[in-house]
Amino acid sequence: MVSASLLIIGDEILSGRTQDKNLAYIATWLNEAGIQLAEVRVVQDIREDIVGAVNAMRAQFDYVFTTGGIGPTHDDITAESIAAAFDLPLTTHPEAYRILTEYYGAEDFSDARKRMSKTPEGAELIDNPVSIAPGFQVENVFVMAGVPKIMQAMLEMLRPRLKTGCKIWSQALTIHAPESKMASRLGDIQEEVVGVSLGSYPFFREGKIGTQIVVRSADKALITTAMELLEAYCSAHDILREGRADIV
Amino acid sequence: MVSASLLIIGDEILSGRTQDKNLAYIATWLNEAGIQLAEVRVVQDIREDIVGAVNAMRAQFDYVFTTGGIGPTHDDITAESIAAAFDLPLTTHPEAYRILTEYYGAEDFSDARKRMSKTPEGAELIDNPVSIAPGFQVENVFVMAGVPKIMQAMLEMLRPRLKTGCKIWSQALTIHAPESKMASRLGDIQEEVVGVSLGSYPFFREGKIGTQIVVRSADKALITTAMELLEAYCSAHDILREGRADIV
């Protein structure tokens, strides 16, 4: 199984001013690519915090994706922080410099904008079809923009560079009962059907208590086996259930 | 400044199946209480991962808040993980046991439900007015439910236990120009007006590029000073701007 981690960089997420939209998108995208997102961290725009998180994560996981902090302003310190994490100099990337000069025109290519052509030495660029200024890759670390549309485009650009694992399928069963009604049986099925992972997620809808049970596996047949055991238990114990959702 | 961190526990967030709603809520709530959320982590339902994150965070920050994993099912392993992090036995909390027995009735108080009365020895409960099963506190770690409505109620319950700092005010100015137009001036104002923090957040709306500049400070007068400098620069450089938002 290929593992990944995500580092979200930005004071604006931690202050509550901006609601992060990248976590859910990247989590789903990686899951569909058969890559397991195993940890996420959100840190402030502070160099030591970024360095510490990147170094911990790149040692532990196959991939590290970062979002945010690669624009032209004083609080965009991701490139210099990644350089520090790898103990590399921060240098002007010739190709980034070229495409940004071409885009802005030599006259409007200000010092602030030139910041966006700096990368750790030897970095490989990640194309940005939306607003030109590129992301970059150093070893197993992929540095992307924070603006969702740009990040999503960059993620597609780097898809060919990623090893992907087998897709994890999942299927949900919704029951109209608190999860404690099923809890002990869920634990048993988890042990009986080797190769599936069962999750149980309580909800309140229009004042009613219910639970969504999610069965996940790389093998669709095992999902069906577990699902049949769940439904049999519901029938035997008068637990109201909805039809199975599709396997996705 | 009082500092805090948030640990979100749950495979369902990392697989993309569930979109986390707690981060943004807690970030805003803490900011209004004058507590700075300095780091967030999301980890899987794996005991060593939870223990590692909790121990790193409780050493570094004044408070650690956790969400998720305190229900009755096999994948709810937060209580045992927190006990392990503090090297405390996991025991039945007498008061939790009492209120859960009263709520479910002795007959329906199954073994699965009894799991919800287990806490690290000596933990202090956090009341749950929504669905009874309590959260708990061990030293500077606050363990809450993952269901947003329950989490929000628990957060209110523990407000009196928290040291709060001074509120950080913020004010936003929206300009209809890419952030690189303002970047160099933003860096200067950040240095000139000591005690404010300037953030710059580019956006695309209906195909147009713009930037939201956010000025934050504990002192409203400093925000106004910085805002006047920003507006003067916009006027001098023909940068289209909207009216200032309220200070919030």
Side-chain angles (χ1 to χ4, degrees):
Chain A
M1 189 86 200
V2 185
S3 67
S5 57
L6 169 64
L7 178 62
I8 298 170
I9 298 164
D11 292 351
E12 73 278 17
I13 309 292
L14 292 165
S15 71
R17 175 169 279 279
T18 300
Q19 180 147 10
D20 170 73
K21 295 188 177 77
N22 292 331
L23 196 170
Y25 185 92
I26 292 172
T28 304
W29 192 95
L30 290 173
N31 190 59
E32 282 170 5
I35 296 171
Q36 179 164 41
L37 181 61
E39 186 175 322
V40 178
R41 298 194 194 183
V42 190
V43 297
Q44 294 176 283
D45 299 324
I46 295 174
R47 187 205 275 226
E48 308 85 75
D49 294 3
I50 299 170
V51 170
V54 164
N55 281 339
M57 292 168 122
R58 71 189 178 97
Q60 198 180 347
F61 304 106
D62 294 322
Y63 297 127
V64 182
F65 298 89
T66 80
T67 62
I70 62 167
T73 61
H74 65 282
D75 56 346
D76 290 310
I77 60 165
T78 300
E80 63 191 71
S81 304
I82 302 294
F86 282 94
D87 203 13
L88 286 168
L90 184 73
T91 56
T92 296
H93 192 291
E95 176 64 8
Y97 194 88
R98 192 188 66 71
I99 57 181
L100 286 165
T101 311
E102 193 175 297
Y103 179 65
Y104 287 118
E107 209 158 288
D108 281 343
F109 194 28
S110 61
D111 285 350
R113 286 171 170 162
K114 282 178 185 157
R115 278 172 63 88
M116 296 190 289
S117 65
K118 303 271 191 191
T119 69
E121 196 164 74
E124 185 174 355
L125 298 184
I126 302 171
D127 284 347
N128 169 359
V130 178
S131 62
I132 308 304
F136 61 85
Q137 171 186 358
V138 182
E139 295 182 14
N140 64 340
V141 178
F142 301 90
V143 174
M144 305 188 291
V147 175
K149 275 185 194 172
I150 304 175
M151 185 285 295
Q152 291 166 20
M154 287 181 172
L155 206 51
E156 284 312 316
M157 292 294 154
L158 56 80
R159 189 193 287 268
R161 298 187 204 171
L162 304 174
K163 293 174 289 181
T164 52
C166 51
K167 171 161 167 59
I168 300 299
W169 300 96
S170 74
Q171 189 172 31
L173 180 72
T174 299
I175 63 170
H176 292 270
E179 61 175 349
S180 54
K181 279 263 184 199
M182 289 287 289
S184 130
R185 183 66 188 130
L186 279 181
D188 292 345
I189 296 174
Q190 173 74 75
E191 290 193 7
E192 282 166 32
V193 190
V194 176
V196 304
S197 160
L198 265 71
S200 162
Y201 309 107
F203 62 79
F204 295 90
R205 278 188 211 148
E206 295 150 17
K208 281 186 187 165
I209 289 176
T211 307
Q212 191 177 55
I213 298 163
V214 177
V215 185
R216 305 177 77 232
S217 176
D219 182 344
K220 285 188 186 181
L222 291 178
I223 293 181
T224 302
T225 303
M227 200 51 85
E228 283 165 1
L229 292 171
L230 286 168
E231 290 178 340
Y233 186 84
C234 289
S235 300
H237 293 78
D238 290 327
I239 295 171
L240 187 65
R241 67 173 197 268
E242 298 180 7
R244 298 179 204 175
D246 291 337
I247 297 184
V248 289
Chain B
M1 190 84 200
V2 184
S3 68
S5 57
L6 169 63
L7 179 62
I8 298 170
I9 298 163
D11 292 351
E12 72 279 17
I13 309 292
L14 292 165
S15 72
R17 176 168 276 280
T18 299
Q19 180 148 11
D20 170 73
K21 294 189 179 77
N22 292 331
L23 195 171
Y25 185 92
I26 293 173
T28 305
W29 193 94
L30 289 173
N31 190 59
E32 282 168 5
I35 296 171
Q36 178 164 41
L37 182 61
E39 186 174 323
V40 178
R41 297 193 194 184
V42 190
V43 297
Q44 295 177 283
D45 299 324
I46 296 174
R47 187 205 275 226
E48 308 86 72
D49 293 4
I50 300 169
V51 170
V54 163
N55 281 339
M57 292 169 123
R58 71 188 177 97
Q60 198 179 348
F61 304 106
D62 294 322
Y63 298 127
V64 182
F65 298 88
T66 81
T67 62
I70 62 168
T73 61
H74 64 283
D75 56 347
D76 290 309
I77 60 166
T78 300
E80 64 192 69
S81 303
I82 301 294
F86 282 94
D87 204 13
L88 286 168
L90 184 73
T91 56
T92 295
H93 192 293
E95 176 64 7
Y97 194 89
R98 191 188 65 71
I99 57 181
L100 286 165
T101 311
E102 192 175 299
Y103 178 66
Y104 287 117
E107 208 157 290
D108 280 343
F109 194 28
S110 61
D111 284 348
R113 287 170 171 162
K114 282 178 185 159
R115 279 171 62 88
M116 297 191 288
S117 65
K118 301 271 190 191
T119 69
E121 195 164 75
E124 186 174 354
L125 298 184
I126 302 172
D127 284 348
N128 169 0
V130 178
S131 61
I132 307 305
F136 61 86
Q137 172 187 358
V138 182
E139 295 183 15
N140 63 340
V141 177
F142 301 90
V143 174
M144 305 188 292
V147 175
K149 276 186 193 172
I150 304 175
M151 186 285 296
Q152 292 165 19
M154 287 181 173
L155 206 51
E156 285 311 316
M157 291 295 152
L158 56 81
R159 189 193 286 270
R161 297 186 205 172
L162 304 173
K163 293 175 288 179
T164 52
C166 49
K167 171 164 167 57
I168 300 299
W169 301 97
S170 74
Q171 188 173 31
L173 180 72
T174 298
I175 63 171
H176 293 270
E179 61 175 350
S180 54
K181 280 262 184 200
M182 289 287 289
S184 132
R185 183 65 188 130
L186 279 181
D188 293 344
I189 296 174
Q190 173 74 75
E191 289 194 6
E192 282 166 32
V193 189
V194 176
V196 304
S197 159
L198 265 71
S200 162
Y201 309 108
F203 62 79
F204 295 89
R205 277 187 212 149
E206 294 151 19
K208 282 186 187 166
I209 288 176
T211 307
Q212 190 177 58
I213 298 163
V214 177
V215 185
R216 305 177 76 232
S217 176
D219 181 344
K220 284 189 186 180
L222 291 178
I223 292 179
T224 302
T225 303
M227 201 50 86
E228 284 165 1
L229 292 171
L230 287 167
E231 290 178 339
Y233 185 85
C234 289
S235 300
H237 293 79
D238 290 327
I239 296 171
L240 186 66
R241 65 172 199 268
E242 299 181 7
R244 296 179 205 175
D246 291 337
I247 296 183
V248 290

